[in-house]
Amino acid sequence: MAVINNMAQIGSALGYADVSMFISLTNIWGVFRTDHFRHGFQALSQRLREKVHNKILASEVSLLEPPATAVVENGEAGTPRPLWNAASQMLMAVGFLLMALAVPGCLYIGSIVVGFCYGVRLAVTVPVASELFGLKCYGLLYNVLILNLPMGSFLFSGLLAGYLYVLQHQEVGIPVWDPIVTVSCGLLYDFTAYSECKAQPEEPLYQGGILKDEPPIMRPSIIGETATGFYTPAFVLNNLTVGNVYCFSTWIRIQGSNSALIRATLKTENRTYDCVGTVLAKDECWSFLKGGFVLDSPSNLSLLLFQNSDGKDIDITIASASLQPFTDEEWSINQQYIINTKRKRAVTIHVSDQQGNRLQGAAITIDQVSKDFPFGSAIAHTILGNLPYQNWFVERFNAAVFENELKWDATEPDQGKTNYTTADLMLEFVRAHQIITRGHNIFWEDPKYTPAWVRNLTGSELKSAVNSRIQSLMSKYKEEFIHWDVSNEMLHWDFYEQRLGPDATLHFYETAHEADPLATLFMNEFNVVETCSDVKSTVDTFIERIRDLEHGGMYMNGIGLESHFTVPNPPLMRAVLDKLATLGLPIWLTEVDISSKVGKELQGVYLEQVLREGFSHPWVNGIMLWTALHPKGCYQMCLTDENFKNLPAGDVVDNLLKEWETGEMEGVTDEYGSYSFYGFLGEYKVNVGYGNRTADSTFSLSRGDETRHFSIHL
């Protein structure tokens, strides 16, 4: 399988649409050589066995130390089995090298050589081992010899060919992770999710996974560590493994209440995972719950319970349950598959002369000059006049958000006295470096962050103040900011709706859209992807709130997930994103950081998990870090110290930024005058040289399923 996998990858990289020919050549020549050698070696081994046996009897040499050569009847020395095996092994290495070096025509030759050598080895190993050494040592020796087959495949095909294959891809710009091969290397994650209540449940994902044909049992409900006295459906799970990622889903219907927040809880021998998924279930239809968990210690016996989050007794019915484990490798493969198919695209550059003749051997240099995917960080007024900070920021990020400088208490601390000086200077900085910027925020529902003078207003005075705020801010910065967080954290607080009525938020969005119709208006919230334990901001609560506002005519087209994590739960995070994606709105991770409580080393570990999940989800359109640097540090997590020396989180960011860019590539056009590569989406510049002629050009690589073709004339 290792050999076949490498054949498929190398063949795909060299442009072969069908690599089955090479697999067929290997198998045909393997069978051909096995058949021919088997008959020859049966006769030879019979003679060798007789002579060796006589020699052993004469010299009383141990069976475990057979002579190096054997004499046949005509007096000539026979070639011993180890030499045949060694010769075939060395020739097989040549075959693997040919495939790995990707020389034109190499796969045809390499496939024949490898198949030939497998035939020789199989023909030699089994009959000679059994006939030379007899049954006494047969089992041990046979296992040692047969283990030589997968070990050789691993060493030569897996390590050597793989290493050379990576080098070849780095030279020509073809991605090491081919999307087609990636799918076949492991279980493909199912992004399916539902946010509408249905009359009947859908079929289970993964055909149920390890819960296939497993009915739930009724167990006492547990809230925290306390039994409620009620019974609730649960699954008994055996032998859960540390390191595996477990994704589960089920359909739920309730009786005894119009609606209820159903929480999935995992209880192992060592601890209780209070929330690994939620759904806002109803009594008239089936609701879809999707979640997941990763264990920090192995569990021989666990319970996955589905219970009412408020502890009240209701009837819970579940159907189409599924629990699917993924290994770390499979999880990473799925992430890389989405990156290759959604964040990258195939490109073919065609080079010809002015008459349209294709030019083979033209030298090409390609450089990605900007990235399509927005990856940025919060900045504060501390960046103004701080050249080292500015240089550090510009070298890394293509997006920014002002940490506090646009908030109402910063721009109008006293009624009627607006001051945008700091925000203007920060805007000049990002504009000068072509950095896109989010507007954060127009209103903050938390009274603690509302200006003191606003908290003292009521009725018409408050309404006049909020209208003035929108008009002042939006007219001044019209078309400057790509997004606006209109009513920040409205699921946790409702300061304005309490004073202005239930339509206050709807009015905010309508007025903001009229003031700046090109800006994307966001609903920004915390504890949506970070955890499912916060009953105020579960994924279904978020979805329900957006739909309520949309039904009222609100113009909103963006989902902002703050992403302030402590210990991330990657499968839960992905499940929440899947469900939010059913709204069809772009999703941004807007304020990503990791709590300082876990320490700097774990901040780096957890940050990488979050960033990889975000970048590899097809509905996430941008990522913003909440790492504005101040003299005394950052809100929760810094990327560097005060001297801009990387902390662990900074190393993670730098490594991922490098991994997620195409960089500079050099190559030559093929016999068709073309050069192909997979590149990350963004802007590119290309230089082509042929003889004494050169040409420079640029092209854009945007999302698309088809290969992007670009032509250059010399």
Side-chain angles (χ1 to χ4, degrees):
M1 290 305 295
V3 177
I4 291 173
N5 179 57
N6 278 291
M7 283 181 182
Q9 294 188 49
I10 298 171
S12 178
L14 292 176
Y16 292 102
D18 186 359
V19 296
S20 59
M21 171 61 72
F22 311 118
I23 299 171
S24 299
L25 285 172
T26 300
N27 292 332
I28 290 170
W29 276 84
V31 173
F32 176 74
R33 287 295 88 192
T34 301
D35 182 63
H36 282 67
F37 271 84
R38 186 177 68 250
H39 296 297
F41 276 103
Q42 282 176 346
L44 176 60
S45 61
Q46 175 65 24
R47 290 173 176 259
L48 287 174
R49 184 178 61 82
E50 293 174 357
K51 292 298 181 180
V52 170
H53 183 65
N54 292 336
K55 239 182 177 184
I56 290 172
L57 291 177
S59 58
E60 296 183 352
V61 178
S62 169
L63 284 172
L64 295 178
E65 299 176 357
T69 60
V71 181
V72 295
E73 291 180 0
N74 60 9
E76 296 180 354
T79 304
R81 174 191 56 78
L83 293 184
W84 286 106
N85 238 2
S88 68
Q89 185 72 22
M90 288 187 288
L91 187 58
M92 187 179 294
V94 173
F96 285 134
L97 282 169
L98 286 172
M99 290 190 288
L101 291 172
V103 179
C106 66
L107 284 184
Y108 291 101
I109 301 172
S111 300
I112 294 173
V113 171
V114 170
F116 180 94
C117 293
Y118 269 123
V120 172
R121 293 170 64 191
L122 291 171
V124 172
T125 301
V126 178
V128 176
S130 60
E131 293 172 3
L132 274 177
F133 305 109
L135 295 176
K136 180 179 179 181
C137 301
Y138 171 77
L140 173 63
L141 294 171
Y142 178 80
N143 287 332
V144 171
L145 293 170
I146 292 302
L147 281 174
N148 186 35
L149 296 175
M151 287 175 65
S153 298
F154 173 73
L155 290 173
F156 285 101
S157 180
L159 295 182
L160 182 58
Y163 175 71
L164 294 173
Y165 171 67
V166 171
L167 291 181
Q168 172 73 8
H169 275 54
Q170 290 174 343
E171 290 176 3
V172 303
I174 304 293
V176 174
W177 290 83
D178 181 87
I180 298 175
V181 177
T182 300
V183 175
S184 65
C185 290
L187 180 67
L188 192 62
Y189 177 82
D190 193 336
F191 288 92
T192 302
Y194 306 90
S195 55
E196 297 282 359
C197 210
K198 295 200 169 207
Q200 296 296 329
E202 299 286 343
E203 291 297 315
L205 303 185
Y206 313 106
Q207 298 181 335
I210 61 178
L211 294 182
K212 185 177 182 181
D213 301 325
E214 289 289 332
I217 62 173
M218 299 303 293
R219 298 288 296 182
S221 176
I222 301 171
I223 300 297
E225 296 293 335
T226 305
T228 63
F230 308 130
Y231 281 78
T232 191
F235 288 99
V236 177
L237 308 177
N238 297 305
N239 302 320
L240 299 182
T241 305
V242 172
N244 275 0
V245 176
Y246 291 90
C247 298
F248 71 86
S249 62
T250 189
W251 289 86
I252 292 181
R253 187 177 64 186
I254 62 171
Q255 288 182 320
S257 178
N258 291 331
S259 66
L261 181 64
I262 304 302
R263 174 181 296 176
T265 299
L266 180 71
K267 187 172 181 59
T268 71
E269 304 96 323
N270 303 316
R271 62 171 289 191
T272 298
Y273 300 81
D274 183 53
C275 187
V276 292
T278 62
V279 66
L280 193 59
K282 296 179 173 58
D283 64 345
E284 299 176 350
C285 51
W286 293 88
S287 302
F288 185 68
L289 186 154
K290 194 173 190 182
F293 55 87
V294 178
L295 298 183
D296 53 17
S297 61
S299 173
N300 295 323
L301 186 64
S302 303
L303 279 177
L304 181 61
L305 302 102
F306 302 89
Q307 50 197 3
N308 190 359
S309 61
D310 64 9
K312 295 180 180 179
D313 186 21
I314 59 173
D315 290 332
I316 302 173
T317 305
I318 63 177
S320 297
S322 170
L323 179 63
Q324 180 61 52
F326 292 83
T327 64
D328 279 341
E329 181 183 11
E330 289 172 332
W331 198 254
S332 297
I333 285 173
N334 275 279
Q335 289 177 331
Q336 194 63 46
Y337 173 68
I338 295 300
I339 291 172
N340 287 342
T341 54
K342 302 300 182 182
R343 309 299 183 200
K344 303 175 77 173
R345 187 175 175 184
V347 183
T348 296
I349 298 176
H350 306 275
V351 181
S352 61
D353 60 20
Q354 294 298 327
Q355 288 73 43
N357 300 310
R358 295 176 292 194
L359 299 178
Q360 180 180 3
I364 291 184
T365 301
I366 299 169
D367 188 24
Q368 184 180 12
V369 295
S370 68
K371 301 175 183 178
D372 179 73
F373 187 86
F375 190 100
S377 171
I379 57 174
H381 65 276
T382 52
I383 203 168
L384 298 175
N386 190 335
L387 189 59
Y389 188 8
Q390 293 178 4
N391 292 336
W392 175 88
F393 189 91
V394 171
E395 287 172 2
R396 287 161 176 79
F397 302 121
N398 61 357
V401 58
F402 300 172
E403 186 180 40
N404 295 309
E405 287 73 12
L406 285 173
K407 293 171 182 175
W408 200 355
D409 60 349
T411 61
E412 194 178 0
D414 299 309
Q415 187 173 8
K417 298 179 180 179
T418 56
N419 186 345
Y420 296 106
T421 303
T422 302
D424 287 344
L425 293 173
M426 294 172 68
L427 189 59
E428 288 177 8
F429 162 71
V430 295
R431 192 190 296 127
H433 294 92
Q434 297 180 311
I435 295 173
I436 61 173
T437 310
R438 301 190 72 250
H440 177 79
N441 51 54
I442 302 177
F443 299 108
W444 198 341
E445 292 286 348
D446 188 349
K448 182 169 62 175
Y449 300 107
T450 302
W453 63 269
V454 175
R455 293 199 298 268
N456 295 325
L457 300 179
T458 58
S460 61
E461 290 183 339
L462 180 58
K463 187 174 182 179
S464 175
V466 298
N467 287 337
S468 175
R469 161 69 174 169
I470 296 175
Q471 294 299 329
S472 172
L473 187 68
M474 302 293 282
S475 61
K476 178 174 179 58
Y477 294 120
K478 184 176 182 179
E479 299 181 4
E480 291 282 6
F481 295 94
I482 61 169
H483 302 161
W484 280 105
D485 294 330
V486 178
S487 190
N488 202 48
E489 299 175 355
M490 70 171 79
L491 295 183
H492 286 87
W493 293 280
D494 58 354
F495 172 81
Y496 294 99
E497 289 197 349
Q498 283 185 9
R499 289 158 177 78
L500 297 176
D503 293 332
T505 302
L506 181 62
H507 172 71
F508 294 165
Y509 279 91
E510 290 175 342
T511 308
H513 175 61
E514 292 172 359
D516 191 352
L518 297 182
T520 304
L521 305 182
F522 271 67
M523 176 175 168
N524 195 48
E525 193 57 76
F526 69 93
N527 278 354
V528 182
V529 291
E530 298 95 319
T531 179
C532 59
S533 297
D534 189 340
V535 297
K536 292 184 177 181
S537 54
T538 67
V539 59
D540 287 294
T541 306
F542 192 101
I543 291 172
E544 192 174 69
R545 180 63 165 149
I546 285 184
R547 285 186 170 148
D548 286 345
L549 292 170
E550 285 179 339
H551 291 157
M554 181 196 69
Y555 186 90
M556 179 197 291
N557 47 12
I559 296 171
L561 305 174
E562 294 186 12
S563 308
H564 295 294
F565 287 89
T566 301
V567 179
N569 179 350
L572 175 64
M573 177 181 176
R574 187 180 293 188
V576 170
L577 291 172
D578 293 347
K579 207 161 185 182
L580 290 172
T582 63
L583 291 170
L585 301 175
I587 300 171
W588 279 57
L589 309 185
T590 56
E591 304 178 16
V592 179
D593 64 11
I594 307 296
S595 172
S596 59
K597 295 178 182 178
V598 303
K600 290 182 173 57
E601 291 298 328
L602 283 179
Q603 279 183 324
V605 173
Y606 295 153
L607 178 64
E608 182 171 359
Q609 293 178 5
V610 171
L611 295 181
R612 287 193 181 278
E613 278 304 315
F615 190 69
S616 64
H617 198 282
W619 280 89
V620 173
N621 284 15
I623 297 176
M624 304 296 296
L625 303 170
W626 205 249
T627 51
L629 186 61
H630 297 270
K632 294 184 179 181
C634 308
Y635 173 65
Q636 288 288 336
M637 180 186 74
C638 285
L639 301 181
T640 72
D641 61 17
E642 65 275 9
N643 297 315
F644 299 99
K645 181 180 179 181
N646 269 4
L647 298 172
D651 285 335
V652 167
V653 169
D654 283 354
N655 291 337
L656 290 180
L657 287 173
K658 185 176 182 180
E659 179 182 329
W660 295 336
E661 68 179 6
T662 306
E664 184 175 305
M665 297 181 300
E666 294 181 350
V668 295
T669 54
D670 59 19
E671 58 186 305
Y672 304 105
S674 301
Y675 178 79
S676 298
F677 69 98
Y678 278 92
F680 282 95
L681 306 182
E683 300 292 324
Y684 288 80
K685 63 180 181 180
V686 56
N687 173 268
V688 179
Y690 188 81
N692 59 356
R693 290 173 288 175
T694 62
D696 294 298
S697 190
T698 61
F699 66 90
S700 298
L701 193 57
S702 56
R703 183 175 290 191
D705 296 327
E706 298 180 349
T707 300
R708 169 79 157 90
H709 291 269
F710 183 72
S711 298
I712 297 179
H713 297 292
L714 289 174

